[in-house]
Amino acid sequence: MRKFIIAVFVISILSSCNNQSSKDAGSANQSVQQTENKKMDFNILDAYKLTLEKTFLYGDYSNFISVIGLPDSVTVFKTKFLIDSKAALEKAVLTAKDPDVVTLHYPGIDMWYSYNNSIIPFTIDFRKTTKSVSYGETLFDSNYTFEQFKRQFPISATPSVQMPGSLFGLATKEKGEKFKHFLLKRKSKDDPNAEPLVEFTFENNKLIFVMFANF
């Protein structure tokens, strides 16, 4: 259900971008081309370069477990399993049937298991984890500031479209003016034409939350 709600929200974001692009288009002869150029006017994050410790966030499931360790629990659709051993983890994962969402819960980090033995990130709450995510020479963690984000992703830091809400709000149920949300887009190896969204949330100028809309 949560995945469906988030998908609807992402669609509403895309609609907002496209509607704004059409308004800005100018003459009738140029409107289509300008809309295409302005659509999804966000910086690109090369998410396949993101690493947690020595493993990729978008990578091999078995390698991720080997490096990061066992999750505290696993949710398969609506059923939660407490994990205290590798056998318990394997048993929980085996109960899933495609396309059930399998979520591995670590302190502050939720990962999705994919049925081709890969793993992908879903949410990272830097208020609840001491881990950092590496992106080249950049460390995304609670010390990463909005000023750094603005230098690194200037287009996304100054959005031209007012978003209808936030992925952060949907995931955490937290709302308020103290939270500032900014969107990036990423490439997808599964679909070269797709550009899924990634949302960075800041509070008091510090990064607190990253959410990946993996659809």
Side-chain angles (χ1 to χ4, degrees), residues 69-104:
L70 298 175
D72 293 338
S73 61
V74 170
T75 300
V76 179
F77 192 48
K78 294 183 179 180
T79 303
K80 188 171 185 177
F81 302 86
L82 296 179
I83 305 301
D84 58 6
S85 66
K86 183 71 176 294
L89 174 60
E90 292 175 352
K91 183 178 179 180
V93 171
L94 285 174
T95 66
K97 305 216 180 295
D98 195 3
D100 290 346
V101 175
V102 180
T103 307
L104 283 64

Side-chain angles (χ1 to χ4, degrees), residues 169-180:
L170 290 174
T172 67
K173 310 303 180 187
E174 298 178 63
K175 297 180 180 179
E177 294 184 359
K178 64 180 181 179
F179 301 119
K180 306 300 180 183

Side-chain angles (χ1 to χ4, degrees), residues 2 5 9-10 21 26 28 42 75 90 126-127 142 152 183:
R2 180 170 63 171
I5 293 172
F9 174 72
V10 171
S21 295
F42 308 120
T75 300
E90 292 175 352
F126 290 110
R127 300 169 299 180
S142 59
Q152 201 163 6
L183 291 170

Side-chain angles (χ1 to χ4, degrees), residues 34-133:
Q34 289 186 8
T35 298
E36 287 301 312
N37 291 340
K38 286 178 173 291
K39 185 172 64 174
M40 295 295 289
D41 194 19
F42 308 120
N43 288 112
I44 293 178
L45 176 76
D46 190 347
Y48 296 101
K49 292 182 178 179
L50 295 171
T51 59
L52 185 66
E53 295 185 3
K54 294 183 179 180
T55 187
F56 288 101
L57 281 183
Y58 287 86
D60 180 76
Y61 164 75
S62 299
N63 184 66
F64 187 91
I65 298 299
S66 175
V67 173
I68 303 301
L70 298 175
D72 293 338
S73 61
V74 170
T75 300
V76 179
F77 192 48
K78 294 183 179 180
T79 303
K80 188 171 185 177
F81 302 86
L82 296 179
I83 305 301
D84 58 6
S85 66
K86 183 71 176 294
L89 174 60
E90 292 175 352
K91 183 178 179 180
V93 171
L94 285 174
T95 66
K97 305 216 180 295
D98 195 3
D100 290 346
V101 175
V102 180
T103 307
L104 283 64
H105 304 285
Y106 294 87
I109 300 173
D110 280 358
M111 303 291 295
W112 281 355
Y113 165 78
S114 180
Y115 291 88
N116 59 355
N117 200 46
S118 61
I119 198 163
I120 59 178
F122 180 44
T123 62
I124 303 174
D125 190 337
F126 290 110
R127 300 169 299 180
K128 299 178 181 179
T129 181
T130 58
K131 295 184 181 298
S132 299
V133 173

